[in-house]
Amino acid sequence: MRILLVEDDRSLAIGLQDALGREGFVVNHVATGDLALGAVRAEVPDIIVLDLGLPDMDGLQVLAKLRQRKEHIPVMVLTARDGIEDKIAGLDSGADDYLAKPFDMKELAARLRVFERRLATAVTSTITVGEVVLDTAAHTVQVAGEKIELPRREYMLLKTLMESAGKVLTRESLETRLYSWGEEVASNALEVHIHHLRKKLPDDAIKTVRGIGYTVVQP
Ligand code: CA
């Protein structure tokens, strides 16, 4: 899941990017409302984590501008203000969830997984495709009942493919789900991850769609 993090507190932003990255999320960060609106125009994220106290405009203004557009991007509001009025104002302006600072990183990650499950239209944290079972809360993968260890990117890649089982994902869309902006990515990095994953999964679990990308299908 790609998160756009809008937060002007640099150390908090770095901490969040790091912690959520370890949870398997791709986090792109901007520090102002204006940059956030530009970023959404350039590439629609799966969810926006929005601080209310921004240097150039109020986070609620950012939210209002986002809601003027047609597409509904889930927005989780973060705020240092913990007054009930602010919470109500945020939810009334169309925020989907709300977290008051200081918050527990684990709670933020758990709430983000709720959105992730909604995106994948799954009711539990496990996704099953054939003999492969992936648990997005525990970050575990089992093949035919045996737990396998996957490095972070391979796990993210498999999760992305399994969430869209039956659909073909282009190389481009997979790359945007594996890497955040500005990360150095070797041109064959995706192929290398696919190659390693295939060795750990049942034969034909990941199919190549020549010239387009990859897919996993229910057997
Ligand atoms: Ca702030």
Side-chain angles (χ1 to χ4, degrees):
M1 183 165 80
R2 282 170 307 164
I3 300 168
L4 178 67
L5 172 65
V6 189
E7 171 61 72
D8 62 317
D9 178 337
R10 198 176 143 75
S11 60
L12 178 61
I14 290 169
L16 283 173
Q17 214 163 7
D18 190 51
L20 295 175
R22 272 185 273 115
E23 294 278 337
F25 298 111
V26 170
V27 183
N28 290 313
H29 168 235
V30 292
T32 68
D34 206 38
L35 287 172
L37 294 168
V40 171
R41 268 192 295 274
E43 180 190 295
V44 178
D46 294 318
I47 185 166
I48 299 173
V49 175
L50 176 67
D51 179 34
L52 285 193
L54 295 169
D56 58 336
M57 62 177 96
D58 193 296
L60 290 178
Q61 272 176 275
V62 178
L63 188 56
K65 284 181 196 283
L66 284 169
R67 290 296 177 246
Q68 281 164 12
R69 302 181 192 175
K70 280 187 187 137
E71 62 213 318
H72 185 94
I73 308 165
V75 174
M76 177 180 297
V77 160
L78 297 182
T79 179
R81 320 169 209 175
D82 57 0
I84 189 77
E85 280 81 16
D86 286 314
K87 178 173 180 175
I88 292 166
L91 294 172
D92 275 348
S93 311
D96 298 273
D97 201 358
Y98 175 95
L99 207 51
K101 293 178 186 175
F103 52 82
D104 188 296
M105 204 63 87
K106 288 205 180 90
E107 181 172 9
L108 175 60
R111 293 215 204 169
L112 288 170
R113 281 197 296 273
V114 171
F115 285 100
E116 193 170 46
R117 287 202 288 276
R118 279 187 211 156
L119 283 176
T121 59
V123 285
T124 68
S125 61
T126 59
I127 311 169
T128 305
V129 178
E131 287 188 313
V132 185
V133 180
L134 185 142
D135 188 323
T136 59
H139 302 156
T140 56
V141 178
Q142 291 191 357
V143 176
E146 296 277 333
K147 196 170 162 186
I148 61 167
E149 295 298 329
L150 294 180
R152 185 165 73 92
R153 301 266 194 214
E154 286 176 37
Y155 170 81
M156 288 165 74
L157 176 57
L158 181 62
K159 187 172 80 146
T160 304
L161 286 165
M162 286 179 69
E163 281 170 345
S164 300
K167 288 184 202 154
V168 178
L169 296 177
T170 63
R171 299 190 68 236
E172 217 178 20
S173 73
L174 285 169
E175 280 170 354
T176 62
R177 283 169 171 77
L178 290 187
Y179 303 101
S180 41
W181 304 335
E183 262 188 277
E184 288 288 333
V185 186
S187 64
N188 67 339
L190 184 64
E191 282 71 19
V192 172
H193 291 317
I194 292 273
H195 175 75
H196 288 310
L197 259 182
R198 277 179 168 153
K199 287 200 281 190
K200 298 166 191 167
L201 298 176
D203 293 346
D204 293 331
I206 300 174
K207 293 185 170 51
T208 302
V209 182
R210 205 168 286 279
I212 300 174
Y214 299 95
T215 185
V216 300
V217 285
Q218 291 286 2

